[in-house]
Amino acid sequence: TIEGTYKIDNNNDVYMQEVIELDSSLTKNQLYIFAKEYITNSYGNANAVIQVDDKEQGLIICKGLYSDISCTEISIGSAGKYTATHILKFQIKDGRIRVTISVTNINEYYAPSYSAGYYDEGRSTDRKMTDYYPINKGSRPVMEKKLKAREGYVFYKVVGRMQNTIKSIKTQFTNPQNSNYSKEDDNW
């Protein structure tokens, strides 16, 4: 279950945060390099996603996307594709990091479709994740049960991606062999 794994911040964004205690001999500079390596490996191009990069303060903030979230629906129209915009923040100190990941919005995309004599031009809409069921338990204008099922499915998929991001960061930082940086690299 995902209950209790996420919180809602002052911007009405869903977020997770974890402090990862590491080997106290790891310096802020080493952990900064680990974080930059993680970003590069995860996003492909660190320069494309890093919004704030302050080595002295030990702060890196990235903006990325969780894409390819699909929801095939029966009797509710075309299948939707969803992309969640997220912010990943590393706060780095000697021997520990604090990781915060928040989802700012979800883009819903429905391709044009033709069914039973009806043409749907398709649409794209951005919504806050807190507008989704199970956070927003209010009524829906049409097909309430099916819309809540779809929203819940997408919500749980996005929270699962957030959990996997934190898990992969913990693995990267707690197992130094997963990183290409080591003190021996300085002797070349």
Side-chain angles (χ1 to χ4, degrees):
T1 182
I2 64 168
E3 298 303 320
T5 63
Y6 61 86
K7 297 178 182 174
I8 300 171
D9 67 15
N10 294 335
N11 295 320
N12 216 24
D13 294 333
V14 175
Y15 79 98
M16 294 179 182
Q17 185 175 76
E18 188 160 340
V19 174
I20 304 170
E21 297 290 338
L22 302 162
D23 183 336
S24 61
S25 69
L26 291 170
T27 67
K28 180 168 77 172
N29 286 339
Q30 287 174 304
L31 295 175
Y32 173 86
I33 291 169
F34 289 174
K36 292 285 285 240
E37 184 176 295
Y38 173 84
I39 294 163
T40 300
N41 291 337
S42 297
Y43 294 94
N45 180 355
N47 294 330
V49 297
I50 293 176
Q51 307 290 304
V52 175
D53 188 355
D54 189 335
K55 186 174 184 177
E56 186 176 311
Q57 294 295 317
L59 178 65
I60 304 172
I61 301 175
C62 305
K63 185 175 185 179
L65 296 174
Y66 291 134
S67 57
D68 301 327
I69 301 167
S70 295
C71 184
T72 304
E73 304 161 74
I74 299 171
S75 301
I76 194 171
S78 61
K81 294 193 183 284
Y82 302 83
T83 304
T85 303
H86 67 270
I87 305 294
L88 176 61
K89 181 160 95 173
F90 291 92
Q91 294 168 285
I92 305 164
K93 295 185 177 187
D94 290 344
R96 63 190 168 139
I97 61 165
R98 179 165 56 189
V99 177
T100 307
I101 187 158
S102 57
V103 171
T104 58
N105 71 293
I106 296 176
N107 178 269
E108 304 170 346
Y109 172 74
Y110 294 90
S113 64
Y114 185 81
S115 176
Y118 174 73
Y119 178 72
D120 182 348
E121 293 181 3
R123 61 196 174 284
S124 179
T125 307
D126 284 327
R127 293 173 57 201
K128 296 292 276 183
M129 192 165 165
T130 50
D131 289 341
Y132 277 68
Y133 184 85
I135 292 176
N136 178 0
K137 296 183 189 227
S139 64
R140 304 298 186 270
V142 294
M143 298 183 280
E144 181 168 352
K145 186 176 180 181
K146 290 180 181 183
L147 284 173
K148 284 183 176 179
R150 180 190 71 202
E151 290 174 0
Y153 176 84
V154 172
F155 185 91
Y156 279 80
K157 284 287 200 182
V158 172
V159 169
R161 293 266 184 102
M162 294 168 74
Q163 290 172 323
N164 287 340
T165 298
I166 289 180
K167 183 179 176 182
S168 69
I169 291 168
K170 285 174 74 172
T171 300
Q172 174 81 28
F173 281 81
T174 57
N175 299 314
Q177 69 271 15
N178 292 332
S179 175
N180 293 325
Y181 180 82
S182 69
K183 290 182 181 179
E184 292 83 39
D185 286 345
D186 290 338
N187 300 323
W188 48 275

